[in-house]
Amino acid sequence: IYKLRTELKKLQKLLGITTIFVTHDQSEALTMSDRVAVFNNGKCLQYGTPQEIYSNPVNSFVAKFIGDTNFFKLKVRNGSALIDEKLPVDSLNKTGQYLSIRPQDIEIAKSNENLPNTFKGVITDIQMNGMFIDYNVKVKDISFKVTVLNCSKVKTFTIKETVYISFNPDSMRAFN
């Protein structure tokens, strides 16, 4: 697939042609395109570069549709933001009804490194996907998917192990 995508992009540039590529495969859309349009029910919700669409989705549909995300209810009470009304987060004044955090934006560690939004949790599932390892970490009955690059430097964890997860407020996206 990688070689085919590379050849198609080379051919398109060589011939100097504009191509409209329609797909439901998000990975294909992001890798093949200079510009992406995300549609839902015939309406264009967002148009931009693959990086813009992925990093700054305009609404919850785009956030869920393009790539993987942790998606939570967000409640602001007494000036504090709460995930699922249980977990207080430093949100840098983000407001909305929902919160999205990409799994690769969450750090996982064996000890508390005192980073922003650090929570103690327990690993409930591990999926080794070759290049990546996905961990499901439960914090106060809230599940977080954490994706880590599987490389020689990666720390390994086990199911039922107590860990600390953290994420920077800049990695959170709030939506209505």
Side-chain angles (χ1 to χ4, degrees), residues 66-78:
I66 297 293
D68 203 0
T69 192
N70 290 283
F71 206 72
F72 306 106
K73 287 183 182 176
L74 179 65
K75 186 86 141 188
V76 178
R77 188 181 307 148
N78 301 328

Side-chain angles (χ1 to χ4, degrees), residues 38-104:
V38 178
F39 282 79
N40 185 29
N41 293 325
K43 182 179 177 192
C44 182
L45 300 179
Q46 187 171 0
Y47 174 79
T49 68
Q51 187 65 42
E52 289 167 346
I53 300 283
Y54 185 82
S55 299
N56 297 302
V58 294
N59 60 31
S60 59
F61 178 87
V62 176
K64 288 181 197 176
F65 187 74
I66 297 293
D68 203 0
T69 192
N70 290 283
F71 206 72
F72 306 106
K73 287 183 182 176
L74 179 65
K75 186 86 141 188
V76 178
R77 188 181 307 148
N78 301 328
S80 296
L82 301 168
I83 291 177
D84 287 347
E85 297 189 33
K86 299 176 188 169
L87 202 59
V89 291
D90 175 5
S91 63
L92 292 180
N93 300 320
K94 294 193 186 320
T95 58
Q97 295 176 315
Y98 300 98
L99 185 69
S100 168
I101 308 165
R102 299 279 186 201
Q104 69 274 13

Side-chain angles (χ1 to χ4, degrees), residues 83-172:
I83 291 177
D84 287 347
E85 297 189 33
K86 299 176 188 169
L87 202 59
V89 291
D90 175 5
S91 63
L92 292 180
N93 300 320
K94 294 193 186 320
T95 58
Q97 295 176 315
Y98 300 98
L99 185 69
S100 168
I101 308 165
R102 299 279 186 201
Q104 69 274 13
D105 289 332
I106 302 175
E107 301 288 326
I108 186 169
K110 293 181 185 266
S111 60
N112 186 345
E113 298 177 7
N114 295 316
L115 298 170
N117 297 316
T118 297
F119 305 101
K120 185 177 182 179
V122 175
I123 295 176
T124 59
D125 188 42
I126 300 171
Q127 291 184 9
M128 211 298 248
N129 297 315
M131 190 183 328
F132 300 100
I133 302 172
D134 293 323
Y135 295 98
N136 186 61
V137 179
K138 195 163 266 199
V139 176
K140 292 186 180 182
D141 295 325
I142 300 170
S143 292
F144 289 84
K145 181 178 180 183
V146 181
T147 300
V148 178
L149 182 63
N150 183 19
C151 62
S152 59
K153 298 181 224 172
V154 75
K155 296 175 185 170
T156 56
F157 302 96
T158 58
I159 291 180
K160 296 185 181 176
E161 182 175 357
T162 299
V163 294
Y164 293 85
I165 62 168
S166 59
F167 46 90
N168 191 301
D170 291 338
S171 66
M172 299 186 293

